[in-house]
Amino acid sequence: MNNPNVRPDTMLRITNKELADKFIEEQVAAVRAQVGDKKVLLALSGGVDSSVVAALLIKAIGKQLICVHVNHGLMRKGESEQVIEIFGKSLDANLVYVDATDRFLDLLAGVSDPESKRKIIGKEFIEVFADEARKLEGVEFLAQGTIYPDILESVKQAEGKKAVKSHHNVGGLPDDLKFELVEPVKLLFKDEVRVVGEALGLPHGMVYRQPFPGPGLGVRCLGAITRDRLHALREADAILREEFANNGLAEKVWQYFVVIPDIKSVGVKDDSRYEGWPAIIRAVNTKDAMTATIEEIPYAVLHKICARITSEVEGINRVLYDITPKPTGTIEWE
Ligand code: XMP
């Protein structure tokens, strides 16, 4: 028998709407056959993979799918709102929205070690999700946005290859929560998931969203996270994204974001001394995130971003541009 976790050689690469529609039709039938009239739970982050799985399952089983969106307080500006708008309103999904900001930020207060931060965020995410799962009755299935590179990566890890960072997504749930997995896109590569997402009618911006780490802004607010610095980071990042979109860079650059270190420098504003944090801009291109090169951002765009961030964001008095490729820098700073 075929191994269900191995992509068959005969499987066509999904490159257009016609192939995507065929895939969707097959998966809708497969999901219906697998779950019958039972309920399915999904952690919906708003990232490409979980969003596509949500849209696919809504098509297949409607309100039998319960989407749980955990806002860990480390989302980018407008992201949770977009999940509520698209899934809660437009697609009329069964959506549970959990604002767990205080739970996460209280636990992270004073924690500066990057790996400890990642572990806290990963563990707490599972706990919040598990708390929600326990409140629901009659759920037998858990849907996941596992894609083929995730499977290939776990094979590599099982072979003992060392990871640079403990990347987290939804890890294992506690023992009292036992579900059968529903993983409709597990044999697809990212570009195929996107084609399927567009065929399902998800907005282009959501389907082509740049990668965003599981720990979110938590690994971009360097060192011990404080609410004021996190707020400044979110606002500065939103300005960067807006300017990249306005200047045709959003489609050209693979990943771009702001990082704010836990240091202050002296500056001047309105003729007075103004101590503030620097906002560091990172914009990289890569194929597989294993190595990355730096995108050349036109100076005029950098000037505009600098002017906007320093005038619009409270607490920031400088803007720096990180020109380090990977290696030696990793893409994220933590
Ligand atoms: P690094 O910083 O290791 O990042 O060069 C490579 C890519 O992975 C993303 N990244 C994560 N993705 N969970 C994720 O799902 C994580 O914990 C995580 N950490 C880093 C990073 O944004 C980049 O695209």
Side-chain angles (χ1 to χ4, degrees), residues 101-325:
T101 303
D102 289 338
R103 268 177 83 158
F104 280 85
L105 296 188
D106 288 352
L107 278 172
L108 287 163
V111 182
S112 56
D113 172 59
E115 281 299 292
S116 306
K117 286 167 68 180
R118 279 168 178 275
K119 296 224 161 80
I120 289 171
I121 296 167
K123 186 164 164 282
E124 189 60 11
F125 190 91
I126 290 166
E127 275 178 27
V128 174
F129 185 69
D131 285 351
E132 291 307 313
R134 288 191 191 100
K135 288 184 202 161
L136 302 165
E137 276 176 22
V139 179
E140 293 187 17
F141 295 87
L142 179 73
Q144 284 192 334
T146 314
I147 64 172
Y148 206 46
D150 300 332
I151 292 185
L152 298 178
E153 183 63 23
S154 30
V155 170
K156 242 171 52 192
Q157 278 176 14
E159 286 167 356
K161 306 243 165 66
K162 205 168 143 224
V164 177
K165 298 174 190 177
S166 55
H167 282 200
H168 111 269
N169 296 309
V170 182
L173 287 169
D175 285 346
D176 65 310
L177 292 169
K178 291 251 178 290
F179 299 113
E180 189 182 315
L181 292 181
V182 179
E183 297 177 300
V185 298
K186 73 175 172 186
L187 296 184
L188 302 192
F189 289 99
K190 197 82 175 190
D191 53 314
E192 299 177 286
V193 177
R194 293 197 162 109
V195 178
V196 169
E198 287 218 285
L200 283 162
L202 288 175
H204 185 84
M206 182 171 243
V207 170
Y208 282 88
R209 204 180 89 154
Q210 58 170 306
F212 187 55
L217 298 182
V219 290
R220 297 177 181 171
C221 189
L222 305 186
I225 299 167
T226 56
R227 287 177 196 245
D228 53 355
R229 200 154 50 89
L230 181 61
H231 177 74
L233 168 60
R234 182 173 288 120
E235 295 299 319
D237 189 71
I239 292 172
L240 178 79
R241 285 196 285 150
E242 209 175 291
E243 289 304 325
F244 266 46
N246 291 345
N247 289 283
L249 290 164
E251 309 272 301
K252 243 181 98 193
V253 183
W254 194 77
Q255 199 172 11
Y256 46 96
F257 52 89
V258 169
V259 171
I260 302 199
D262 188 12
I263 52 167
K264 280 192 170 175
S265 68
V266 176
V268 57
K269 197 174 186 180
D270 303 328
D271 291 333
S272 302
R273 181 184 172 99
Y274 180 51
E275 286 183 17
W277 304 292
I280 301 164
I281 296 172
R282 188 122 175 90
V284 300
N285 274 325
T286 175
K287 281 205 163 55
D288 55 9
M290 301 301 287
T291 60
T293 55
I294 294 312
E295 179 64 28
E296 281 187 28
I297 308 301
Y299 250 94
V301 179
L302 287 173
H303 280 304
K304 175 93 188 282
I305 291 167
C306 175
R308 283 197 60 194
I309 291 180
T310 50
S311 64
E312 293 174 35
V313 184
E314 180 71 32
I316 296 183
N317 64 358
R318 290 172 198 268
V319 173
L320 314 180
Y321 181 40
D322 180 359
I323 56 162
T324 321

Side-chain angles (χ1 to χ4, degrees), residues 47-61:
V48 184
D49 307 334
S50 66
S51 296
V52 171
V53 168
L56 189 60
L57 265 63
I58 290 166
K59 195 175 170 72
I61 55 169

